[in-house]
Amino acid sequence: MSREARIGTLDSLREHLQWAIELEHATLPPYLCALYSLDRERNPEAAEIVGSVFVEEMLHLALAANLLNAVGGRPLLDSPRMLPPHPRRLPHGDRSLELSLVPFGADALEMFLRLERPAPPGAAPEGDDYETIGQFYAAIEQGLRHLCDRLGEREVFSGDPARQVHAGHFRHTAGRLVAVHDLKSALAALEEIVEQGEGNSHGEVWDGDKDVFHPERDEVAHYYRFQELRSGRRYQRGDTPETGPTGEPILVDPAGVRPMPPNPRPAEPGSATRRAQEEFDHTYCAVLHLLERAFNGNPRLLAVATGTMYALKAQALALMEAGAGPTFGYVAPERRRWSVGDERRIVVLRDGPYVVYGGVPLRRKRKIVSSGNDALTWQTGEPLETEETYALCRCGHSGAKPFCDGTHALIGFDGTESPVMRPYQELQHVHDGVGISAQRVGELCIHAAFCIGRTRPIAAMLADTGDSDVRSNVMGRIDHCPSGSYSYALERGGETIEPDLPQAVSVLEEEDGLASALWVTGKVPVMRSDGRPLETRNRMTLCRCGHSGNKPLCDGTHREIGFREEPSPITNPTTREGTIS
């Protein structure tokens, strides 16, 4: 295809919009390396500027996905083609432009200025081997208009509106996340991408938004933000591309930049550095996996994907301090284990939420108690609306409980999991009665109190289980134990009898509105963040207050801290503390 060839079919349009996704993603690793190399204490303004560009490139990625979904395409991100070795060329762009992983400095700024430079006045749209990003998007705009004229908007915009991500799914930027459903909204999305990169109306330095960190200022486009860093001054009203910035100075301390070898290569196999690089790669590929899920029918996962990105910073800094750097290598899904397939399962993300795959039903259950607060039974509420893949809060601070909204990243949640427990059968203590053998693992107890009773605990009742009414009472109480800490057989060593529970996740509420654990039933597998499975059982309880000493399992700490579902006050996500840097 020549540079000027028109995008003349829907298949060609979808192909070019997938290229747009790859283009926007290709900018992320170089921006991240420059950002993480900056010591924020010594270079706060430079970190703020590079960080703001990175977040807006994430916005552009989401807009490109919205455009592709709107015309009936399927965004692809979790693929080796997204992470070729660096240096690399911009996907389908000018072959003379190479993207490298380098620390902040003159080389990084020159690369960013070349990447973001505005199209020359009157430049033709270019669908392939494009000289500027603006010309590439002009070709997409031209193709959209042509196809709408020829086929009609309804034929062009045939995608499912439910796959659109919108402002409710994205934050940290003054830019607009446009939901695309017709030509007008598609053109608005394209305008947002181009103006944030090149400037307003292709002739001004401003992008039309207010500075998210400094609302008293107008925000300049990406190209001109990098001009500010190179010139050491900010743009002010009256400045033009020709005058350059003439406003207040921007100070950059070269000594406040962490060293990193250009385009780092994998370290020696088996070395600590190699393991750290692989950990970074796993986290980054988890981000790609979550983004692909978010853009393919699970839009709430966008907040989870961006939250997971926060884990990259500490991993990148550790590599730089070791004299190395991230390689952004692709990790095949089969090596990640947890991200393969659509079967029902729950995955614990490191320092993040629980990701639930396979459309596992989600509902609420409320504990029914007597007038004396004795546990009696569970009342099942209406199902909660979910997507096929959804994420549940593990830190206890989400404003959208029980769902994750990315808050774990802002508060620095430490979700470190306890060592893998031995199997239930090895840990259980057995107490025999008449016609019943009770088994208990205290490490699983969440203190839901069904085993206590109004007058006597189960342990004391076993001596009287010759009375079938007492025995039935014991069995019923054990069946209501959500964690399965207690179970029973009819005789010692016999087959454990479990209640018939559906595959589901239940959000538990105990007496007086106390928020309790997540009750996983029906042998839904649960995978730790290190890829090792928990013992698959008919029932288990997962911590959702963030304070259990037995993570990811609940240990009843929610009772001690009086955990509730009300949103917790946290740092405003649009402030400095809430940025990706």
Side-chain angles (χ1 to χ4, degrees):
M1 176 178 175
S2 70
R3 286 180 175 180
E4 295 78 15
R6 174 176 290 179
I7 298 171
T9 67
L10 280 174
D11 283 343
S12 177
L13 177 62
R14 291 168 186 146
E15 180 181 43
H16 280 75
L17 287 171
Q18 174 61 36
W19 293 354
I21 290 172
E22 295 172 21
L23 153 64
E24 299 300 344
H25 171 263
T27 68
L28 301 184
Y31 284 142
L32 276 179
C33 285
L35 176 62
Y36 291 152
S37 72
L38 285 162
D39 182 333
R40 192 176 182 89
E41 296 298 318
R42 301 173 71 172
N43 282 303
E45 291 178 294
E48 187 178 276
I49 289 172
V50 178
S52 70
V53 171
F54 171 81
V55 169
E56 288 172 4
E57 293 297 343
M58 284 288 293
L59 172 65
H60 298 173
L61 178 65
L63 288 168
N66 274 357
L67 285 160
L68 180 53
N69 271 323
V71 299
R74 182 185 181 278
L76 177 67
L77 286 102
D78 191 356
S79 165
R81 64 194 276 183
M82 303 298 284
L83 289 173
H86 289 82
R88 58 166 297 184
R89 58 172 290 209
L90 202 62
H92 300 276
D94 184 344
R95 297 177 187 275
S96 67
L97 172 58
E98 282 193 339
L99 300 180
S100 291
L101 305 178
V102 293
F104 181 84
D107 290 343
L109 285 176
E110 287 304 315
M111 176 175 59
F112 298 156
L113 286 165
R114 175 80 184 280
L115 176 65
E116 301 280 5
R117 77 184 191 277
E126 294 178 343
D128 200 358
D129 291 336
Y130 46 87
E131 294 177 89
T132 66
I133 293 173
Q135 288 169 275
F136 174 67
Y137 281 112
I140 290 177
E141 177 181 341
Q142 182 188 69
L144 276 167
R145 292 183 184 275
H146 167 70
L147 289 168
C148 285
D149 287 343
R150 184 163 65 87
L151 303 174
E153 285 190 49
R154 180 172 295 183
E155 181 71 18
V156 173
F157 295 96
S158 61
D160 180 358
R163 294 165 70 91
Q164 296 289 308
V165 293
H166 53 76
H169 303 124
F170 206 84
R171 57 190 182 185
H172 313 307
T173 173
R176 297 173 298 151
L177 182 49
V178 180
V180 179
H181 53 84
D182 57 13
L183 181 60
K184 181 180 179 181
S185 53
L187 296 179
L190 290 171
E191 182 180 59
E192 184 72 26
I193 293 172
V194 174
E195 288 191 353
Q196 280 192 330
E198 296 188 3
N200 195 15
S201 303
H202 304 282
E204 297 184 7
V205 300
W206 321 102
D207 72 4
D209 295 322
K210 291 293 183 182
D211 189 315
V212 68
F213 298 112
H214 307 281
E216 74 281 2
R217 296 179 186 160
D218 291 319
E219 191 169 66
V220 302
H222 296 179
Y223 177 80
Y224 299 103
R225 287 180 224 178
F226 293 127
Q227 288 281 22
E228 288 180 325
L229 286 173
R230 186 168 69 173
S231 302
R233 287 195 174 276
R234 288 194 179 272
Y235 279 94
Q236 60 183 345
R237 276 298 173 187
D239 290 344
T240 67
E242 289 72 31
T243 66
T246 64
E248 61 190 78
I250 294 177
L251 300 178
V252 176
D253 179 5
V257 179
R258 301 177 182 93
M260 186 191 86
N263 300 314
R265 292 289 176 258
E268 188 71 23
S271 66
T273 299
R274 179 66 170 268
R275 288 193 296 271
Q277 288 175 325
E278 290 173 348
E279 180 181 356
F280 182 96
D281 292 342
H282 272 81
T283 302
Y284 194 81
C285 288
V287 171
L288 293 182
H289 168 75
L290 291 166
L291 285 173
E292 183 167 301
R293 291 268 173 164
F295 297 145
N296 283 279
N298 305 279
R300 285 180 180 170
L301 288 180
L302 184 58
V304 184
T306 54
T308 303
M309 208 161 245
Y310 282 73
L312 293 169
K313 180 179 180 180
Q315 295 171 358
L317 295 188
L319 284 167
M320 291 179 185
E321 288 167 4
T327 61
F328 289 89
Y330 184 72
V331 181
E334 57 270 19
R335 287 180 54 206
R336 295 177 236 157
R337 297 179 61 190
W338 58 267
S339 66
V340 178
D342 291 311
E343 70 276 5
R344 286 182 168 179
R345 66 194 185 283
I346 298 171
V347 173
V348 182
L349 289 192
R350 180 170 299 172
D351 297 331
Y354 304 104
V355 180
V356 185
Y357 292 85
V360 179
L362 180 69
R363 68 266 182 98
R364 291 188 182 275
K365 277 184 176 288
R366 183 170 65 90
K367 187 164 76 173
I368 304 299
V369 298
S370 69
S371 58
N373 271 346
D374 300 311
L376 300 177
T377 189
W378 295 102
Q379 180 182 40
T380 302
E382 292 297 315
L384 294 172
E385 183 180 349
T386 68
E387 296 159 352
E388 185 71 11
T389 305
Y390 57 93
L392 297 174
C393 175
R394 187 161 75 99
C395 71
H397 290 273
S398 169
K401 297 184 190 77
F403 299 103
C404 171
D405 67 355
T407 299
H408 59 276
L410 303 182
I411 64 172
F413 171 59
D414 181 359
T416 303
E417 296 147 72
S418 298
V420 176
M421 290 179 62
R422 286 158 42 214
Y424 184 93
Q425 193 170 6
E426 294 181 14
L427 292 171
Q428 67 185 7
H429 296 273
V430 181
H431 305 277
D432 294 330
V434 177
I436 184 171
S437 180
Q439 304 147 176
R440 183 173 184 268
V441 174
E443 292 89 338
L444 297 176
C445 181
I446 71 167
H447 308 292
F450 284 93
C451 62
I452 296 175
R454 183 174 63 85
T455 57
R456 289 189 298 166
I458 284 176
M461 296 175 67
L462 287 171
D464 297 327
T465 48
D467 182 330
S468 61
D469 286 343
V470 174
R471 186 161 67 250
S472 175
N473 190 338
V474 170
M475 291 175 175
R477 290 196 200 176
I478 291 176
D479 284 346
H480 284 99
C481 173
S483 68
S485 170
Y486 256 114
S487 64
Y488 68 89
L490 298 182
E491 60 185 4
R492 179 179 285 255
E495 181 182 356
T496 297
I497 297 175
E498 280 285 339
D500 184 12
L501 298 173
Q503 286 201 323
V505 178
S506 299
V507 183
L508 297 186
E509 178 187 319
E510 299 191 49
E511 64 273 14
D512 303 319
L514 181 73
S516 184
L518 296 171
W519 187 7
V520 181
T521 57
K523 296 187 177 181
V524 176
V526 178
M527 190 82 72
R528 293 165 50 96
S529 65
D530 59 10
R532 290 184 288 176
L534 296 182
E535 182 181 9
T536 300
R537 302 178 60 240
N538 189 43
R539 46 190 163 147
M540 68 174 71
T541 43
L542 300 177
C543 171
R544 71 182 185 108
C545 72
H547 289 82
S548 170
N550 192 27
K551 296 185 186 75
L553 298 173
C554 172
D555 68 355
T557 302
H558 58 273
R559 302 186 66 86
E560 298 176 20
I561 66 174
F563 178 57
R564 306 266 169 183
E565 278 216 350
E566 292 83 359
S568 303
I570 60 162
T571 302
N572 185 324
T574 58
T575 64
R576 291 173 189 267
E577 291 81 4
T579 67
I580 206 82
S581 60

